[in-house]
Amino acid sequence: MNVPKINEIFFEYLAYWESGLQASRLAKILGQSREHVQRNTISRFERTYRVRLINSQGRMRKLADTSEGLRFAPSRPSDLVRMLDGISILFQNAPEDYPLGVRVENPLHGLMPEPDAEVFRALYAACTHKCAVRMQYHSKQGVFPMTFSPHALVQVPDRVHFRGYAQWAAGQEKGMFIDLVPARVESIDGEMIWDAVPSSEDADWHSKSSAVYRLSSELPAALAAVLRQEWASSMTDNSRPDTMVIPSVRRAVKPYVDRALRYRWFGKDHYETWIPQAVE
């Protein structure tokens, strides 16, 4: 198993994203002595990866060249925000000890359905151990008994769900793969069942393709220009103007991507923005 190199991650984080690498600061984050960090992290990193540090502000230093990207820390801003968000949660009960430069304020944490902790634990454990669980599930048709074999945990903009195989009746020969919302589970019945349906049979999960979207021609010109700027990194095909391509999207999650991109609020007005296109 490849263990994440925590020392190197925070070395690059400080030297690139904060432009403020200091041995004392890195030592505080890692809970190590300044001397140990200088000798075993900073100096070793410079030798091993042949990186050059230059002065930033005061005694702080930063990476001289990042043209080839970062080796350990997040290279994309979106991934950096996810990392900061996760670390913010780890320090939610001790905010004064938060070790990094900026804390992410995420109001969406409280806007998703919050499932019962024991229900979520049972589903998460079953997913981890590739088992099934029996439950009472509240679907749109009512409350029904279900046996569910989860194989993936998925986060979409408005909820978290488990992807897995569901059978609604005892002895039922044929079920189907569904997206199960843990907040809709009324109760878990009994212990885990080791005879689970494997994920290898979930064709929609394993099928991937590019997702293509076209900017709506009905948008006001000013808003269209804003969206072109925001999504410029995904609009790289000059032969298809106002078209965005997201590579390698699972068929099972594409409806959620479509829903997240298709409409957007600007102030008090609601617009259709990115329209899904058929992939040729």
Side-chain angles (χ1 to χ4, degrees):
M1 181 177 67
N2 293 323
V3 178
K5 298 188 176 183
I6 300 299
N7 290 26
E8 287 81 354
I9 289 173
F10 286 109
F11 170 98
E12 285 191 332
Y13 162 77
L14 290 174
Y16 179 65
W17 290 109
E18 288 197 13
S19 296
L21 175 65
Q22 287 180 299
S24 58
R25 178 86 189 288
L26 184 57
K28 183 177 181 181
I29 291 174
L30 298 174
Q32 302 170 5
S33 70
R34 182 190 181 283
E35 294 74 18
H36 179 85
V37 164
Q38 181 63 58
R39 180 177 62 253
N40 294 289
T41 299
I42 297 177
S43 297
R44 180 180 295 176
F45 195 104
E46 291 178 286
R47 292 194 308 270
T48 302
Y49 301 106
R50 301 182 182 276
V51 301
R52 187 166 66 91
L53 296 169
I54 59 176
N55 291 335
S56 177
Q57 299 179 33
R59 296 183 177 182
M60 294 187 293
R61 302 163 79 194
K62 63 182 181 180
L63 293 172
D65 181 17
T66 57
S67 59
E68 296 182 0
L70 304 177
R71 292 175 174 84
F72 302 101
S75 295
R76 302 189 307 175
S78 58
D79 290 335
L80 171 70
V81 172
R82 290 169 60 197
M83 183 188 85
L84 296 176
D85 194 25
I87 294 174
S88 295
I89 293 172
L90 293 177
F91 284 86
Q92 62 184 345
N93 293 325
E96 67 280 359
D97 295 329
Y98 180 75
L100 305 184
V102 178
R103 181 189 299 275
V104 175
E105 182 69 24
N106 189 346
L108 298 180
H109 283 160
L111 297 182
M112 288 188 181
E114 189 69 50
D116 178 83
E118 283 301 305
V119 166
F120 194 90
R121 180 201 59 77
L123 286 164
Y124 185 83
C127 192
T128 299
H129 298 293
K130 297 179 174 58
C131 295
V133 287
R134 293 190 180 97
M135 66 182 68
Q136 297 291 320
Y137 188 65
H138 198 147
S139 70
K140 288 178 287 187
Q141 286 74 38
V143 180
F144 298 97
M146 175 193 293
T147 301
F148 184 66
S149 304
H151 69 73
L153 178 61
V154 181
Q155 181 172 6
V156 295
D158 57 349
R159 74 182 195 193
V160 169
H161 65 251
F162 284 91
R163 178 76 179 176
Y165 189 82
Q167 287 181 293
W168 282 269
Q172 182 185 32
E173 293 184 2
K174 189 69 174 176
M176 62 186 298
F177 284 94
I178 68 167
D179 300 330
L180 181 139
V181 182
R184 297 177 187 172
V185 176
E186 294 204 346
S187 63
I188 298 290
D189 303 329
E191 299 298 323
M192 290 188 293
I193 305 167
W194 293 99
D195 186 18
V197 177
S199 67
S200 58
E201 298 182 20
D202 190 351
D204 284 350
W205 179 259
H206 294 289
S207 175
K208 296 181 180 180
S209 63
S210 295
V212 181
Y213 302 88
R214 180 179 54 80
L215 193 64
S216 172
S217 60
E218 302 298 319
L219 280 168
L223 295 184
V226 166
L227 290 170
R228 290 189 190 100
Q229 172 64 31
E230 285 184 353
W231 292 94
S233 61
S234 298
M235 299 171 63
T236 56
D237 187 348
N238 294 329
S239 67
R240 294 188 290 179
D242 285 350
T243 300
M244 172 171 62
V245 179
I246 302 177
S248 194
V249 177
R250 296 184 189 275
R251 188 191 303 162
V253 302
K254 186 177 182 296
Y256 303 102
V257 180
D258 293 351
R259 188 168 65 191
L261 290 174
R262 186 150 194 170
Y263 299 99
R264 182 164 168 183
W265 289 94
F266 285 92
K268 296 182 179 180
D269 298 316
H270 197 226
Y271 295 93
E272 187 175 38
T273 51
W274 293 103
I275 302 173
Q277 305 293 293
V279 178
E280 300 175 357

